[in-house]
Amino acid sequence: MAGPMKPNNPNRRDSHQNGGDDKKRSPWSFLSIVMWAIMLVLLLHFCSSSMSRASVEDVPYSTFVDWVEEGYVDTVDVTSNVYTFTLKEDAPPLKEYLDKRKGAYGAGGWNQFVNQFSPSGSGSSSSTAIQFQTAPIPRSDLVPWLRENGVSEYETDMVTTEDYLLSAIVSYVLPMVIMVVALMLVYRYMFKKMGSGGGFGGIGGVGKSNAKVYVEKKTGVTFRDVAGQDEAKESLEEIIDFLHNPGKYTEIGAKLPKGALLVGPPGTGKTLLAKAVAGEANVPFFSISGSDFVEMFVGVGASRVRDLFKEASKMAPCIIFIDEIDTIGKSRDNRMGGNDEREQTLNQLLAELDGFDPGKGVIVLGATNRPEVLDKALLRPGRFDRRITIDRPNLAGRLATLQVHTRKIKLAEDVDLNKIALATAGTVGADLANLVNEAALRAVRKGRRLVTQEDLLASFEFVIAGSEKKNSVLTEFERKLVAYHEVGHAMVAYKQKNAEPVQKITIVPHTEGSLGYTLLMPEEDKTNLRTREELMAKIAVSMGGRAAEEVVMETMTNGASQDIQEATSIARNMVAMYGMSEEFGMMALGSVRNQYLDGGYGLDCAQDTAAVMDKAVKAVLDVCYKEAVEVIRANREDMDKVVAYLLEKETITGGEMVAIIEGRDPALVEGAYTSTRSRSQLPGDIEPPARHVHMTDEPIPMPPPPEDAPPADAPSAEEPAGGEADPSGNGPDSGA
């Protein structure tokens, strides 16, 4: 678990814990909060007064005097700065005002306008609901004048000093205090999330580094937790030794490498290896993703790069790990105008890599699975001095990885991790970790306390094919069609010399969309080196399902779509990349674009050449399909037997298939996962004579010669001159 970083020097304060240096905590931070609060309170008062004024109609003072003398005014509320009054219901100015408003609002708007003045919500337009106001001109005879002109009610509010102070506090002071407290809480939250800094500079600290800091005691990851990457660990161990013992390197004049680029497919453990380096070196570990540098504001990414290296230099010796560095390290071009945010961030990163002193012990580790898109200036020596490839593990690496992931798993005695490592060729560390976890979950579902070999192999099938569809129902014709399709794959693989052995055949539908599948597992670790015969055999096996559909069922289905795609991909690689076609020979027609992602390539040839290449690909597919059809026709009788047994059991092993073909009882085959090339001993089988021969180190005495035998040094007349063994087998040279 990652925890807060603690400084190596107890007398030095850490900006990640204390919120920055004291000089950053200036009084201007609090003053800025107060100013923001005052502005917000004034804005709220302005909005509230505007809303209240929107419900009152302003009239000139002269109009107010005319309406009073005409006897139209009903009530008057007198204050020091405004007169608020209402008109009588039969007053002509009120009717004129209402007619004017009604024409302006329309039917729906008029009802809404009247309801907002009606306290009861009934839509009444009484004079007591609609108010008018005017700015007063002081006069001494106000009260007698109102009384003479028939004003029914006039009043004024009595405001004391206490009421005035209370109103000011409630209206201004209290909202401002609440606003200050709220802004301070928001400020502290933003300060904690965005990093150290004072005030609201940089829009709440948006330009600060978001690096997560780890130390060895918190990560708990060392090289002991990383398996299958011995070459990568060997390259990084020198960097760790330099951090621990820089003296023996500086004596000879060597300099600490500034950076190392970890390159490999997803899931191979690049991030885990970087954490292990920090754990082994026992130094602070700054971890940040390349996407954290890119923001919508121009210049923010460059500011974060500067802040990251500034903080790292304070904590030196340390390690900076930038994951997915291709996000900011893409090759620069003129398509974006040369002034975008990503390019500025890259330029700042290049400057920082050149600027810091390697003697301080700051090492930059970058990780990517797209090294082909990185800028050349980023990869030159002096910035990223080493390029460490973390590729898919081989057989020994997969075995070591399985041993690491099963360290805390309770395994049964029948578990053979070597067989699991063989079956999982081409997988990465993340796949193996998921496989082991799925096996443990399956063991719990089955009510066991130990993980068995069957759980591990079943979890491998779950990863590649998904879980079984319990409610899927197929007709008899569909089941027979799927059975012949899958047995077609298995039969072609069994008869091919260079094909992988068949491990399992099933016609049970699975969630990954397949109605059945044939599982092939290699008997030995296969590297990326493949012969032309092996590739042709792989294509023929993929064509076996469609060949069985046409030969046996005399039809074609869409179930062979994935097989056709896989076969076409192999054949296209043989023509375009491997130089295995007669038309083009050793000519490369394409180049790899994403080596560590999908492995796809782009064509580097003309359109006419691409058309000829398609014909060459079809020729390869036709040859393999013809071979698959011949195998199906030659073994039709054996296929019928295997299909009949498969329809009954729904799932059979490769060993059971071999037993049916050889005329033995498949029910006697032991083991849930026996392949076509490794079957167990069956009852009734004749053991080879060599199993009864026992080797011994004791000398065996020679039998005494017969009485009428000639001396040993006298050659016999019947014995050849060369001293060859007696054909009868009774001579001394005929022993076992």
Side-chain angles (χ1 to χ4, degrees), residues 391-396 398 422 425-426 500 522 524-531 534-535 578:
D391 209 343
R392 301 178 185 273
N394 54 13
L395 176 61
R398 294 194 300 273
L422 274 173
E500 297 175 348
E524 58 184 4
D525 187 29
K526 281 288 186 181
T527 60
N528 294 328
L529 185 63
R530 298 274 183 172
T531 64
E534 290 175 340
L535 295 175
Y578 306 152

Side-chain angles (χ1 to χ4, degrees), residues 101-102 104-116:
R101 286 292 186 181
K102 187 174 183 180
Y105 281 101
W110 169 248
N111 294 331
Q112 183 179 3
F113 172 75
V114 172
N115 288 333
Q116 71 178 345

